[in-house]
Amino acid sequence: MKLIFAGIVAGLMATTAAKADEMVFTSWGGTTQEAQTKSWAEPFTAGSGIKVLQDGPTDYGKLKAMVDAKNVTWDVVDVEMDFAIKAAKDGLLEPIDFAVVPKDDLDPRFSNENAVGSFYYSFVLAWNKGAVSGEPASWADMFDTKKFPGKRTFYKWSAPGVIEIALLADGVPADKLYPLDLDRAFKKLDTIKSDIVWWGGGAESQQLIASGEAAFGQLWNGRVFALEKDGADVGVSWNQNLTAADVLVVPKGAKNKDAAMKFLAAATSPTGQAKFAEASGYAPINTKAKAEMPADVVKGLPDAHVDGQINLDLNYWAEHRDEIATRWYAWQAK
Amino acid sequence: MSVEAQQGIATPRIPAGLGGLLPALILIGLFFVVPVLALLLRSVTDPAPGLQNYAALLGDGTYARVFFNTFLVAFVVTIVTVLVAFPVAWMLAIMPPAFASILFGIIILSMWTNLLTRTYAWMVLLQRTGVINRALMGAGIIDQPLPLINNLTGVTIGMVYIMLPFMILPLVGTLRAIDPMTLRAAALCGAGPLAAFRRILLPLSLPGIAAGGLMVFVMSLGYFVTPALLGGTSNMMLAEMIAQMIQSLLNWGLGSAAAFILLVVTMALYALQLRLVGARRRAGGA
């Protein structure tokens, strides 16, 4: 019996091994993954002959299930950085082979032993010009239902962003945000809870704002960029924009590790990063990328808005992820 | 079609040997029993052996509220489904067969359409800038959009729509089996339409209502897509909470325990349904 089983396993392995010139890239779908495909995967395939299959959306439960079951079908995954730090601690990630992936030009804020930056982004305040009279100028305005009536939309999942926004709106200075005062944040959020519509994914946030279903909200800057490009009538405020990053990781036991490392090298290269930034409006994590980008695109990136910009503390989040999440979902369900 | 066949109860036949059943048993064992056992095992071993996952679930106010919400939504959906399904089923039962089969076709066709598509369609209809609110505001009936989505109203509308066929189909069977002469007899004895409904039709159709209602209730308990899309976070149901535990918190032990509790409740209700149906058969077979 055991022999037969081993035989089957070996047989299955043989079929995957035969596909060594393929790998699977998983990201969040929508306009972001399209930009990643065009800027990274297609040129990479053209240069290396390694075919990149697209999958998605990223699902942390699925990633853990694959690693636990030792049947990993994803080779490179785009994840939020706080998750990557936590996942590395839990032993879910392969170390990055920096002999293959050049490290020197990577922004050190967004790379570590188990992850390289994918892009970095800002949460910005965006609104539908037809649904809002006046211009909301700060996160505090999102909590002022008298001055700015209407539904507001926030990111649904427990992640860096909304807690900080509530604290900033409540008057906490940017340099005193951490450690997060959760009681105070939830108390502030309680004041507008019945006016909140949650968005669970980037496309949903775009749909809510573009249709006016929500008058304004906290959006990823790249999603607002895409809305503007489509000619939607949206306004955006970069005041107190909150930066966080996505990173690229290789799940432990990925079958095409070598191809994955080569892909990471291409994705984080100055050219790959420049092209992606141009297509998505997100900022490059390679410090040499901006030299390859048109000036007007550079102007629209998060790092053109450093005035009043706040870096979300992703290490703090990685450490307190579970604790905050438990309270977050308990508060939401109330 | 016999009354029994219409009600979906086939007489069980015990095969001469178990050999013929073996492939089916292996299939069920491998794909249903083993995963459930693995789930149970995980709920008492992850992250450490013991019952702490169950203690956490049953001792926490948030989870208690989610359990309550789950039952509340299932209950409301069942009641509304019965109220909407009954007139439709009655109409189908007394209609000429040719018309009835067209209507059946329409009802069943809706079941073949993708669940997600149908739920998104409701989103488009119900949202603040949706068709219904725009029409009502355009007609001057309301001046603020009605909150039809991201709350219990939205979940109820969406789920009732999806559950209706599961209520209508068994109910038509029961209603068709009622001898129309009983209603005529009631009228001859001086009962008005309301009395005839309350004292004759309703009691006779009660077994069908109970069977369909229990099925709708049990299905509603574990529903995910519709509540996730049309509901708000403050009326979260168990299935969504389990997804959150598995996907976002990566707390599989807790998620398994919650899933197992849901399974036990569902099985208990199913057992109840079997007993009800059994009682009906004994009563009807006398």
Side-chain angles (χ1 to χ4, degrees):
Chain A
M1 185 72 188
K2 216 172 177 182
L3 257 177
I4 296 169
F5 187 69
I8 293 169
V9 170
L12 289 174
M13 305 261 278
T15 52
T16 40
K19 292 186 181 171
D21 55 346
E22 276 184 8
M23 56 159 284
V24 178
F25 172 67
T26 298
S27 183
W28 301 91
T31 48
T32 303
Q33 190 161 357
E34 276 165 33
Q36 288 170 326
T37 306
K38 283 220 174 71
S39 320
W40 303 343
E42 284 170 8
F44 172 70
T45 304
S48 66
I50 299 171
K51 204 167 147 195
V52 181
L53 306 172
Q54 300 286 333
D55 199 2
T58 299
D59 179 331
Y60 300 147
K62 232 179 191 171
L63 193 153
K64 180 178 150 74
M66 287 179 183
V67 177
D68 282 0
K70 298 192 173 28
N71 182 19
V72 181
T73 55
W74 291 346
D75 298 305
V76 173
V77 188
D78 188 303
V79 301
E80 288 154 303
M81 189 170 183
D82 62 306
F83 171 78
I85 298 169
K86 154 107 169 105
K89 250 182 233 161
D90 293 350
L92 297 176
L93 305 180
E94 292 282 352
I96 303 295
D97 184 356
F98 285 108
V100 181
V101 186
K103 196 183 183 180
D104 291 348
D105 301 327
L106 300 185
D107 188 329
R109 285 181 295 168
F110 308 122
S111 291
N112 58 40
E113 268 171 50
N114 301 87
V116 289
S118 174
F119 56 88
Y120 90 89
Y121 55 85
S122 282
F123 278 121
V124 293
L125 171 50
W127 65 91
N128 180 313
K129 282 185 185 163
V132 177
S133 49
E135 293 205 345
S138 70
W139 297 123
D141 285 343
M142 272 184 91
F143 287 78
D144 190 341
T145 49
K146 282 214 185 82
K147 204 162 129 200
F148 293 103
K151 296 280 174 189
R152 34 272 273 155
T153 184
F154 289 100
Y155 192 35
K156 182 178 183 177
W157 312 112
S158 174
V162 183
I163 302 273
E164 284 87 346
I165 287 173
L167 291 173
L168 288 167
D170 205 31
V172 177
D175 56 345
K176 298 262 164 32
L177 279 174
Y178 301 95
L180 295 169
D181 184 346
L182 294 178
D183 291 329
R184 186 169 174 180
F186 285 126
K187 220 174 129 196
K188 185 70 179 171
L189 283 164
D190 272 334
T191 62
I192 55 162
K193 195 171 182 187
S194 56
D195 290 311
I196 296 178
V197 183
W198 302 100
W199 57 269
E204 197 181 352
S205 70
Q206 291 169 313
Q207 190 267 335
L208 284 168
I209 293 295
S211 69
E213 185 67 16
F216 36 55
Q218 158 221 19
L219 262 68
W220 287 317
N221 73 285
R223 298 292 179 161
V224 185
F225 174 82
L227 279 180
E228 285 172 330
K229 241 183 4 187
D230 280 356
D233 196 19
V234 291
V236 57
S237 162
W238 285 85
N239 185 20
Q240 296 177 315
N241 70 85
L242 303 161
T243 68
D246 265 23
V247 292
L248 301 172
V249 297
V250 179
K252 187 122 213 151
K255 292 186 184 109
N256 306 299
K257 224 167 65 185
D258 294 342
M261 294 301 162
K262 283 180 204 155
F263 178 82
L264 292 184
T268 57
S269 70
T271 311
Q273 283 288 310
K275 273 194 193 154
F276 175 74
E278 209 175 316
S280 67
Y282 291 122
I285 51 78
N286 188 308
T287 50
K288 288 210 173 128
K290 261 184 261 173
E292 299 191 20
M293 291 165 58
D296 61 316
V297 176
V298 175
K299 256 191 291 176
L301 295 178
D303 42 5
H305 300 273
V306 286
D307 206 24
Q309 187 174 65
I310 297 158
N311 290 312
L312 294 168
D313 187 341
L314 303 178
N315 283 307
Y316 178 88
W317 270 88
E319 211 162 296
H320 298 90
R321 211 171 178 272
D322 293 351
E323 173 199 333
I324 299 173
T326 309
R327 292 218 33 200
W328 173 258
Y329 294 122
W331 173 80
Q332 271 190 340
K334 242 186 245 170
Chain B
M1 203 190 272
S2 78
V3 173
E4 282 207 342
Q6 278 179 4
Q7 289 169 351
I9 307 152
T11 312
R13 280 178 217 283
I14 293 157
L18 280 175
L21 275 178
L22 211 56
L25 284 178
I26 290 175
L27 192 79
I28 290 174
L30 212 59
F31 292 105
F32 292 94
V33 180
V34 171
V36 168
L37 290 179
L39 188 80
L40 178 62
L41 197 66
R42 200 183 259 278
S43 73
V44 291
T45 56
D46 189 353
L51 291 173
Q52 73 278 13
N53 285 324
Y54 290 92
L57 277 176
L58 300 175
D60 183 293
T62 309
Y63 301 139
R65 197 165 27 238
V66 173
F67 277 106
F68 173 77
N69 278 339
T70 309
F71 281 90
L72 178 73
V73 170
F75 183 73
V76 172
V77 167
T78 307
I79 298 290
V80 179
T81 307
V82 169
L83 292 179
V84 177
F86 196 93
V88 179
W90 179 240
M91 191 181 69
L92 282 167
I94 58 175
M95 216 176 224
F99 286 117
S101 54
I102 293 172
L103 282 188
F104 267 121
I106 293 172
I107 290 169
I108 289 174
L109 199 67
S110 80
M111 289 171 76
W112 285 345
T113 314
N114 182 289
L115 174 68
L116 206 57
T117 317
R118 287 190 283 160
T119 305
Y120 270 109
W122 276 112
M123 261 172 103
V124 173
L125 289 172
L126 296 176
Q127 61 187 2
R128 290 165 56 83
T129 50
V131 179
I132 293 174
N133 271 319
R134 286 229 167 126
L136 288 177
M137 283 165 80
I141 299 169
I142 50 170
D143 31 77
Q144 282 297 316
L146 297 172
L148 298 174
I149 198 173
N150 299 323
N151 53 27
L152 187 59
T153 314
V155 179
T156 307
I157 294 172
M159 281 180 67
V160 164
Y161 167 70
I162 284 155
M163 294 298 170
L164 269 175
F166 300 101
M167 188 74 223
I168 292 174
L169 297 181
L171 204 51
V172 170
T174 309
L175 290 173
R176 274 192 181 154
I178 296 172
D179 188 344
M181 294 307 278
T182 53
L183 290 174
R184 199 170 298 172
L188 283 174
C189 294
L194 198 67
F197 171 75
R198 201 165 47 84
R199 298 182 58 180
I200 310 291
L201 192 58
L202 191 62
L204 283 175
S205 56
L206 221 45
I209 295 177
L214 214 49
M215 174 134 107
V216 169
F217 190 80
V218 165
M219 284 176 69
S220 300
L221 281 180
Y223 238 61
F224 177 73
V225 172
T226 311
L229 290 175
L230 298 177
T233 50
S234 53
N235 35 52
M236 189 193 286
M237 289 177 72
L238 205 49
E240 212 187 338
M241 187 180 77
I242 293 170
Q244 221 166 56
M245 288 167 173
I246 302 285
Q247 289 186 332
S248 189
L249 293 174
L250 298 188
N251 192 340
W252 290 15
L254 203 60
S256 304
F260 198 72
I261 291 175
L262 182 61
L263 185 69
V264 168
V265 172
T266 310
M267 299 258 275
L269 287 169
Y270 182 62
L272 184 74
Q273 182 179 24
L274 285 185
R275 281 193 60 164
L276 278 182
V277 172
R280 180 161 57 121
R281 287 185 69 199
R282 278 193 297 281

